[in-house]
Each structure stands twice: as structure tokens, then as C-alpha cells.
Amino acid sequence: MLDRLALNPHRVDGIAAGLRQVAGLPDPIGEVLRGSTLPNGLQLRQQRVPLGVVGIVYEGRPNVTVDAFGLTLKSGNAVLLRGSSSAANSNAELVRVLRGALCGEDLHEDIVQLLPSADRSSVTHLIQARGLVDVVIPRGGAGLIDAVVRDATVPTIETGVGNCHVYVDAAADLEIPELGAPPAHGAECPEEAGGDAWTNAGEWDDGGAPSTSGTSEGSDLSTPNLDEGRDRA
């Protein structure tokens, strides 16, 4: 946990690189996804527009503070951030830097604001500020997500708690030096994406179907139908 909360020059560089990557994405605002003209001449179109004021409740890692800011700013929204009390000082410093950067670009610094995290009352106020907050997004464990969805009066976008699969072809060589040793169960991606621990691993059998080779302890996970997923894609 302490490692996940820590900020050092390497991690700050990674956070900044992620922000630059978001900045380089195409502008989504105003993009027309589809449209048609009715027989009476009425034109209909589906177009991307900002949501408004977005509230984000999240746990742990301070890099989420910057990620959330970057995505909401890119999509034309203001954001109210409510992070973990365990990262309060880091979050406050990051938001201070972000607000200064906004002012430097002649944008209003209140586009991003950090809510107090000393107690849970700020979460309640945020998720029940109907008419002031347009949408709430919880990011974290199942308990956090369930609590926000249950108690919110503001429209909520429910995220998943994570179910990361690793598929290994039967012919794969896991001892390739560039890949290193096979990942341990529950291992995570590089630190900037530390929440992506794998929970279910499978390999292809000779019949072309995946077979489960490991799942999280105590979980009730089944191997997905990959062909079905390909059809949807």
C-alpha cells in the first residue's frame, strides 16, 4: 500500500507522460457519431457533448487525481475530486500544480477542485448534490462502488471492480528473456497501471478452446467464451 501511494521522480514523469498522451488525443467535443434525415426533412444526429460537472470518488493512488483531471478536461467537463485520505497531501499538491497550469493557459482554476477527505461526509455531499453535480463516477473496490451506487441521488456511471484475464497460447515460450519469468498469481502491470492485477489465467488446449489454469483464491470465475467475444467485437 505504501508503495502504491508513493510519488517519486520516475512516477511523476509517468503521470506527466500520460497527461500528454491524453492531450494529444483528438478533440471529442462536437464529433457527430451518426445521423439521419427523416422523410419530413427533420435532421437527427448523435453528437458528443460535455456532461458538465463530474464528481469522481476514488481510492489510493494519487496518479488517479491527474488521470481524472486530464480526461475530464479533454472532454470539456469540470471535475470535483474526492480521493483517499491516505493520499491527501499528495493529491492536494497535484491539484495545486494543475490549478496553476490552468491559470497559465487562461483557464479558470476551479475547473478542477479537490474535496476534503478527512471523513466520509464529503462523499455523501458529493453524490447527493443533485442539480449541482451532473454525474458521479466511483473508481475503486466493490465496497466503494456499491456504496456510491446505493446512496447517490446524482446519476452514476458504475465501473467494474476488475476481472483481468491473461491468455497464453499453448505454443508460447514463457522463458523468453525479454519477458522475464512467468508472472506470479496476482502480479501487477508496471506501477503506473498497478491496479491491473491478473485474476484469471488460461491457456489454449489442442482443440482450440481455452482452459483455466488459475484463478484468484476464493473467486468463482469461469473462463470466458473467446469466440463469442470476437463476434461482439
Side-chain angles (χ1 to χ4, degrees), residues 52-75:
V53 177
V54 179
I56 301 182
V57 183
Y58 55 99
E59 299 172 335
R61 300 178 184 84
N63 66 287
V64 178
T65 299
V66 181
D67 294 344
F69 161 77
L71 292 170
T72 51
L73 179 65
K74 185 69 179 184
S75 53

